[in-house]
Amino acid sequence: MNAGINLGWTSGIIETEGVTAENIDQIGANLANATAAITALVPLIASPPYDTDSFVKVNEEINRLSGKIGGMPRDKAAHEISAIYRRLQSALRVYLSARTRKLTQGGTCDASTLDVGYYFGRGHTALQRGNLTLERKSRETMMHSIHTGAEIAKSRPCVFPSDQYLSAPVLDTPTVATYASSLTVIQNVAAVGTLPAGVALDPAVKIPTAVAPSSVPTTTLTTSPPPDNGKTPRPVVRPDLSKPWSSTWGNIHWGENYYGTKSKTLTGKLVKINNRWVFFGRWGRTSSDRSGQVMFTFTSPTSFEGYYTENSKKGGSWRGAAPD
């Protein structure tokens, strides 16, 4: 849901305004938030037989686009965002068939949830920027996605709370205010709706939000960038990788390309994306064919949070900290 909302916001901005000096920061923030949402999803994907490599590749595509979108023609930028959305949708349209016991491509509740978020986001920014035609088309497609998800849930062992999604105020009265209130509604429904029937959400669990307050699109019909309300995140200082860092899986010796022991390799590249430092790389074993990908996001100059995959399958979380 949150990945869809952020990609939809980006799509709506580009469709309405193109890529400009005034909205490039907004686009960058939305893309970064979409990446964060997908990053949080990867460790939760069951395996085997599910493959997380397709989600990692979507993140790589988003990050590549973030680095080149400035000044990109509107049509090309719109095509790029649409292609990323379709790739993520395709990655979510995979399920294990109970009949054949094989992975099958088809409709899933997860893919419909992405669709709801994406078309909500497109409609949200379209209305705020006065593009009423795009808003109407997006809202109609959002409604269609809700009904599609409801039909899929009848034949798949998945949960899709269509009635709760249909309670979003914007579906009856599309205004700036109803879009703002509907954002919280669909996020909460997505969080609770993924639980099995009869299981309540633990009050201690914090329902995730789509974006930081500074990234929410402006709430007036204008092409100006949204106010930051004093909450624009400061650029993260480049982490110092000249010394070994402690981590979930042993000390990381960045310069020597290993962690734990020298038989455990770790190679990659540290890049800056939208004021965040991110390490993309691979881990492996010199004594076996075990290997996989890693992605570490530095939440401060002295700590990172991320994940790893193994042979394109599910891996787990990987955290680390700089030496004291």
Side-chain angles (χ1 to χ4, degrees):
M1 176 62 76
N2 290 339
I5 290 170
N6 280 280
L7 291 176
W9 277 341
T10 304
S11 175
I13 292 171
I14 292 171
E15 290 281 353
T16 302
E17 300 176 349
V19 182
T20 68
E22 290 74 23
N23 66 29
I24 187 63
D25 287 344
Q26 177 67 64
I27 289 172
N30 291 343
L31 291 176
N33 282 310
T35 298
I38 298 169
T39 299
L41 170 66
V42 168
L44 305 178
I45 299 171
S47 72
Y50 292 101
D51 186 343
T52 61
D53 191 53
S54 56
F55 296 95
V56 175
K57 288 180 179 178
V58 170
N59 260 354
E60 292 173 349
E61 286 295 314
I62 294 174
N63 290 324
R64 275 195 286 269
L65 179 60
S66 296
K68 66 180 183 181
I69 197 169
M72 186 178 287
R74 178 184 303 194
D75 289 348
K76 181 171 177 55
H79 174 76
E80 294 271 354
I81 288 296
S82 178
I84 287 171
Y85 159 64
R86 297 297 177 191
R87 289 189 188 100
L88 181 55
Q89 184 188 57
S90 178
L92 290 168
R93 286 172 55 85
V94 176
Y95 66 94
L96 182 64
S97 170
R99 182 176 60 83
T100 65
R101 304 305 301 169
K102 294 181 180 179
L103 289 178
T104 303
Q105 188 82 14
T108 65
C109 294
D110 290 336
S112 290
T113 300
L114 172 74
D115 295 343
V116 172
Y118 181 77
Y119 287 102
F120 171 87
R122 276 170 60 92
H124 194 182
T125 47
L127 180 68
Q128 290 169 341
R129 286 156 172 78
N131 190 331
L132 302 184
T133 299
L134 180 61
E135 186 283 325
R136 177 180 54 79
K137 290 181 178 178
S138 298
R139 183 164 34 88
E140 290 175 351
T141 307
M142 177 186 172
M143 181 83 76
H144 176 74
S145 299
I146 293 173
H147 289 299
T148 298
E151 289 302 310
I152 290 170
K154 294 178 182 179
S155 58
R156 305 266 190 272
C158 61
V159 177
F160 191 85
S162 56
D163 289 344
Q164 290 92 322
Y165 285 128
L166 290 172
S167 70
V170 71
L171 293 176
D172 291 325
T173 309
T175 66
V176 171
T178 58
Y179 264 106
S181 61
S182 295
L183 173 62
T184 302
V185 170
I186 63 174
Q187 286 179 308
N188 290 358
V189 170
V192 177
T194 55
L195 296 172
V199 177
L201 183 69
D202 186 335
V205 176
K206 182 180 179 182
I207 295 174
T209 56
V211 292
S214 62
S215 300
V216 175
T218 178
T219 55
T220 57
L221 294 174
T222 175
T223 59
S224 62
D228 64 12
N229 299 321
K231 298 179 180 179
T232 301
R234 296 179 180 178
V236 176
V237 176
R238 182 187 178 98
D240 181 3
L241 306 185
S242 63
K243 299 178 181 179
W245 283 41
S246 61
S247 84
T248 308
W249 304 105
N251 289 348
I252 299 177
H253 299 259
W254 305 93
E256 298 175 75
N257 298 324
Y258 76 91
Y259 67 97
T261 67
K262 290 190 176 181
S263 65
K264 301 176 180 179
T265 61
L266 180 66
T267 59
K269 184 178 181 180
L270 183 67
V271 297
K272 190 176 184 181
I273 301 173
N274 299 318
N275 289 332
R276 305 182 187 195
W277 288 99
V278 182
F279 181 87
F280 294 98
R282 295 191 63 83
W283 66 273
R285 296 283 192 274
T286 59
S287 58
S288 71
D289 61 355
R290 293 183 63 191
S291 65
Q293 296 176 310
V294 299
M295 177 177 173
F296 304 150
T297 299
F298 289 82
T299 53
S300 77
T302 57
S303 64
F304 70 77
E305 295 181 357
Y307 65 85
Y308 71 92
T309 63
E310 181 168 354
N311 297 328
S312 298
K313 305 297 182 182
K314 176 187 174 184
S317 63
W318 194 329
R319 296 181 175 86
D324 294 332

